[in-house]
Amino acid sequence: MAWDKKDLLGLEYLSAEEILTVLDTARAFSEVSTRAIKKVPALRGKTVVNLFYEASTRTRASFELAEKRLSADIINMNVSTSSVTKGETLLDTVRNLCAYKIDVIVIRHAMSGAPIYLARNIECSVVNAGDGMHEHPTQALLDIYTLREKLGDLRGRRIVIVGDIAHSRVARSNIWGLTKLGAQVTVVGPSTLIPREIEQMGVRVQHNLDEALRDADAVNMLRIQREREKLTLFPSLREYAILFGLNRTRMQGLPDKLIVMHPGPINRGVELSGSVADGPNSVILEQVTNSLAVRMAVLFLVTGGTSLHPEHMSA
Amino acid sequence: MTTVIRNGYLMDPARQLDGHGWVHIKDTQIAGVGLGEPPAGLAADETIDARGLVVAPGFIDLHTHLREPGEESKETIESGSRAAVAGGFSTIVCMPNTKPPIDHASLVKFIHLEAQRVNLANVLPVGTVSRGREGKELADIGELVNAGVVAISDDGAPIMDSGLMRCALEYARMFGIPVMEHCEDLQLANLGVMNEGFYSTKLGLRGAPTVAEDVMVARNLLLAEYTGGRLHLCHLSTAGGVRMVRDAKARGVQVTCEVTPHHLVLTDAAVCDYDTNFKMNPPLRAEADRLALIEGINDGTIDAIATDHAPHSSTSKDVEFDQAANGVVGWVDCSKEEAASWCARRTSPWRA
């Protein structure tokens, strides 16, 4: 068991061994959600604050359920109605929360680096639930967990990430995690949405989706996030769907076993057609299910859990 | 009261002094300087042994922000003068991006009066190019010159309107003063908070590309060549900028330029843990740019090192990286021991 960190800030900062520790711990927790009474006492007496500065439905619901299934006490901070609108700084808000002697802050923030800035300044654990265009480590961990369920060891496996790589924290976290576990990662997207010098992160860049997918084991179709873009970076969603969308016709020329992933929420008809999203290659809902076990594992580890004892898992 | 400084290393390019020597001070005036040992019989009430030290005339800083009027919690003419003198600067040129900006003769007079009251450093104000520093119409430049500005600049706010820039260069030419320009195409910079490259990609921070600076350097050089106006390029930070200035100088364009110490010793790798002390505009660039700047100093393309001293309060810096103010201090009012310990940690920055 390799874990001595108080925070989860990004997969860049974890070793392969630490990533595997999270995934193994998640595997142990996955059984909890299949029980009649879906609750274990692993985080009983711990307080978790979900501090979301950016709209989120599934990540927040997933964290909240994971916390509840671990028996943590939780607070959800609705930031649009909190003191943030009164001009309080992020650090002041969080220091006030810490004064309640909380154990973990799960933070979603529109600015890259905000969780790192916080972790440097406070004592309680910080879990990054997505920061700007930087990282979304729990999403990548659940993507990798799902891939390992399907493919086993990822060494030498070919994983393709498609979409707006430039603005995607999911892409960055996946790139760090997958490359550390030995997978070959290719990023595909319009040249205006591939950030400069990304090859230095250990990936290949492609602009032809059919070629990139020809020998791929899995493809992760990112959501097109028009709200993040300040320039007109591609002509239209229609053209995007033609060049970079996955639909039934395109699937016909691709390997039968190709695993199709999506971090959600899907823009149906843009990056994925309905038939592919709901088709036999899609593992999208499995990703959502796995998110619980992965987030339970992360919360357990950052609060000092080292190994799972039977009492953590008792019903 | 007479003082002799001896055994120090004299550096004074204006007098072509470069070697061990002595300085004789009578009351508040330099009475004599020379290389070697002081003349026999030179009487002095006090002798300072400057062995191992450089003795130089006060430095001139071409690019500073004194924040007064308007942001006195960050710096004032008094605190800035004190810090400048502590750092060896006796003449400082202060930029007009104050609140209100220095776009009127009365504000220039205020700076002069305050600098005289403080009486520590020579403070030379720069006036704005445009009224209100808004980049729309020319400020009363003639009046500003009569009041004593040494240059005009909308520093911090690049002049995006090429027509206005042309007029500024042409109009300022009458008075023989330079237009000091912060080169940045705001559309290309795209609200970038650091240099665009591997580190901005990795950190997920919006990048401002070198080309945002380069297209404006190119435009301004073309306009200076066409109008015959005097152009001074502030805080050059890119390899492309150095190359274009070198070519322009060879063609006889009236251009000078400066570089900051931080662009000479640091790169965008310093931002790696979102430390807002390394957030400035222009941003820290890549290693190839840094090396090109050093080459530009060594071959004379770059005329000056200027600090762009830009102090901020901790409330402007102790925040998320995206929200932090741009700028870093150029001088610190610190003890000799502190300064020596900083210097000891750095290797000579002037070697590529």
Side-chain angles (χ1 to χ4, degrees):
Chain A
M1 200 90 166
W3 192 273
D4 60 1
K5 294 191 156 60
K6 87 171 173 75
D7 309 302
L8 177 70
L9 301 173
L11 296 197
E12 180 188 357
Y13 318 109
L14 298 189
S15 65
E17 199 190 1
E18 287 168 327
I19 291 170
L20 293 174
T21 295
V22 179
L23 300 178
D24 291 344
T25 309
R27 185 155 296 118
F29 276 120
S30 66
E31 167 264 333
V32 173
S33 296
T34 64
R35 296 183 187 178
I37 296 172
K38 302 176 180 62
K39 212 173 183 68
V40 292
L43 254 67
R44 192 162 60 195
K46 304 276 187 190
T47 311
V48 181
V49 175
N50 297 312
L51 184 59
F52 277 61
Y53 283 83
E54 225 185 29
S56 162
T57 27
R58 80 189 55 211
T59 301
R60 183 164 153 181
S62 166
F63 265 109
E64 196 173 332
L65 262 183
E67 291 150 10
K68 286 179 168 165
R69 288 186 183 176
L70 291 171
S71 308
D73 297 315
I74 69 174
I75 305 174
N76 292 312
M77 293 287 290
N78 186 349
V79 171
S80 60
T81 58
S82 80
S83 47
V84 171
T85 48
K86 297 176 195 159
E88 192 179 44
T89 67
L90 171 64
L91 192 54
D92 280 339
T93 301
V94 171
R95 280 190 174 141
N96 274 279
L97 289 171
C98 289
Y100 295 131
K101 309 299 177 199
I102 60 170
D103 299 285
V104 184
I105 287 187
V106 175
I107 182 170
R108 154 76 55 102
H109 201 285
M111 291 175 196
S112 301
I116 291 179
Y117 164 68
L118 277 189
R120 239 191 340 246
N121 284 287
I122 60 175
E123 276 179 24
C124 80
S125 294
V126 176
V127 174
N128 181 0
D131 63 325
M133 304 180 287
H134 176 226
E135 285 224 35
H136 192 349
T138 57
Q139 177 69 46
L141 286 167
L142 74 90
D143 291 344
I144 292 168
Y145 181 94
T146 307
L147 281 173
R148 278 168 50 93
E149 293 275 286
K150 300 289 170 190
L151 300 172
D153 193 334
L154 296 183
R155 272 175 289 190
R157 293 293 192 172
R158 295 164 197 273
I159 316 295
V160 178
I161 305 173
V162 182
D164 179 357
I165 308 297
H167 299 91
S168 174
R169 52 195 174 210
V170 176
R172 286 171 177 80
S173 287
N174 264 284
I175 289 168
W176 290 122
L178 289 167
T179 53
K180 282 175 195 224
L181 297 186
Q184 291 180 35
V185 179
T186 301
V187 296
V188 178
S191 40
T192 44
L193 295 178
I194 304 287
R196 289 174 77 84
E197 302 182 40
I198 194 163
E199 294 87 346
Q200 283 190 52
M201 287 174 73
V203 301
R204 288 192 319 156
V205 175
Q206 267 261 28
H207 302 295
N208 183 313
L209 183 59
D210 296 296
E211 267 178 39
L213 292 184
R214 196 173 298 146
D215 57 0
D217 294 295
V219 59
N220 200 341
M221 303 297 292
L222 301 178
R223 193 177 124 73
I224 278 294
Q225 304 184 79
R226 298 219 81 155
E227 72 271 15
R228 284 196 194 283
E229 288 148 29
K230 297 223 162 94
L231 293 169
T232 311
L233 293 168
F234 59 93
S236 66
L237 289 176
R238 178 188 146 80
E239 178 158 317
Y240 181 86
I242 292 168
L243 295 174
F244 300 103
L246 210 46
N247 52 38
R248 197 196 311 242
T249 322
R250 179 163 269 142
M251 287 297 285
Q252 278 164 7
L254 296 176
D256 289 341
K257 286 185 175 172
L258 181 71
I259 298 166
V260 176
M261 309 172 84
H262 192 292
I266 306 169
N267 297 304
R268 282 180 184 254
V270 184
E271 64 266 6
L272 278 184
S273 71
S275 61
V276 177
D278 307 327
N281 301 73
S282 167
V283 296
I284 294 171
L285 292 177
E286 287 172 63
Q287 289 174 267
V288 177
T289 303
N290 293 336
S291 75
L292 288 175
V294 165
R295 291 186 171 121
M296 286 165 84
V298 167
L299 291 161
F300 177 71
L301 291 169
V302 296
T303 50
T306 46
S307 54
L308 280 172
H309 294 295
E311 67 264 27
H312 291 129
M313 301 295 278
S314 61
Chain B
M1 173 74 182
T2 54
T3 306
V4 169
I5 303 171
R6 53 187 301 174
N7 298 326
Y9 193 95
L10 256 54
M11 289 177 77
D12 184 357
R15 294 175 204 231
Q16 299 193 320
L17 289 175
D18 189 9
H20 285 93
W22 54 274
V23 179
H24 185 216
I25 302 163
K26 224 180 235 171
D27 296 324
T28 58
Q29 302 268 317
I30 306 280
V33 285
L35 295 179
E37 289 299 313
L42 187 70
D45 303 324
E46 182 192 21
T47 299
I48 297 172
D49 186 358
R51 198 179 302 272
L53 301 174
V54 169
V55 182
F59 298 139
I60 300 166
D61 195 338
L62 281 184
H63 192 137
T64 78
H65 298 272
L66 298 182
R67 305 295 189 208
E68 190 177 0
E71 291 183 290
E72 291 83 356
S73 63
K74 295 182 172 182
E75 189 81 283
T76 60
I77 291 167
E78 177 163 356
S79 68
S81 299
R82 203 176 291 287
V85 170
F89 293 88
S90 56
T91 298
I92 55 182
V93 176
C94 62
M95 284 295 179
N97 61 333
T98 48
K99 293 174 183 170
I102 312 302
D103 66 348
H104 193 270
S106 61
L107 290 155
V108 179
K109 281 179 197 146
F110 161 73
I111 293 175
H112 277 141
L113 286 171
E114 185 60 10
Q116 271 167 29
R117 185 190 69 76
V118 172
N119 195 25
L120 285 170
N122 303 310
V123 177
L124 307 181
V126 175
T128 63
V129 170
S130 65
R131 203 180 305 285
R133 222 172 126 261
E134 287 175 349
K136 291 179 184 151
E137 50 187 90
L138 291 180
D140 297 323
I141 294 167
E143 268 198 272
L144 288 168
V145 171
N146 287 341
V149 302
V150 295
I152 51 172
S153 177
D154 278 0
D155 184 45
I159 298 169
M160 289 296 290
D161 180 338
S162 302
L164 182 71
M165 186 62 183
R166 176 221 165 126
C167 291
L169 283 161
E170 257 170 357
Y171 196 76
R173 195 185 59 192
M174 282 197 296
F175 308 104
I177 58 162
V179 180
M180 301 177 77
E181 177 65 348
H182 167 129
C183 297
E184 180 185 7
D185 181 306
L186 295 174
Q187 267 90 44
L188 277 172
N190 192 26
L191 303 177
V193 295
M194 69 174 295
N195 182 49
E196 181 176 84
F198 171 64
Y199 289 98
S200 66
T201 290
K202 178 169 100 78
L203 293 165
L205 289 172
R206 201 169 277 279
T210 51
V211 74
E213 181 169 333
D214 292 348
V215 297
M216 288 297 255
V217 169
R219 182 202 72 173
N220 292 332
L221 288 169
L222 290 168
L223 289 172
E225 188 165 14
Y226 185 74
T227 60
R230 274 179 67 191
L231 175 67
H232 176 85
L233 300 173
C234 296
H235 40 53
L236 218 55
S237 75
T238 69
V242 175
R243 190 177 66 236
M244 287 186 276
V245 170
R246 186 179 290 127
D247 294 349
K249 283 188 166 183
R251 285 199 312 281
V253 179
Q254 290 209 67
V255 59
T256 53
C257 65
E258 72 194 31
V259 64
T260 72
H262 43 272
H263 288 106
L264 290 171
V265 296
L266 296 168
T267 67
D268 55 359
V271 183
C272 68
D273 62 352
Y274 300 93
D275 186 338
T276 60
N277 285 312
F278 299 112
K279 184 177 177 187
M280 58 274 287
N281 189 10
L284 296 172
R285 302 290 190 186
E287 179 68 1
D289 294 299
R290 189 183 79 86
L291 295 177
L293 294 173
I294 291 172
E295 195 188 333
I297 288 198
N298 287 335
D299 74 6
T301 301
I302 293 170
D303 300 274
I305 297 170
T307 65
D308 195 4
H309 174 72
H312 287 289
S313 54
S314 62
T315 40
S316 309
K317 281 293 199 182
D318 193 7
V319 290
E320 301 91 311
F321 197 88
D322 280 340
Q323 293 205 319
N326 283 310
V328 62
V329 292
W331 333 296
V332 186
D333 190 354
C334 68
S335 71
K336 261 186 257 174
E337 290 72 25
E338 279 176 282
S341 80
W342 293 350
C343 293
R345 273 184 262 134
R346 292 189 194 284
T347 50
S348 170
W350 315 119
R351 302 280 174 264

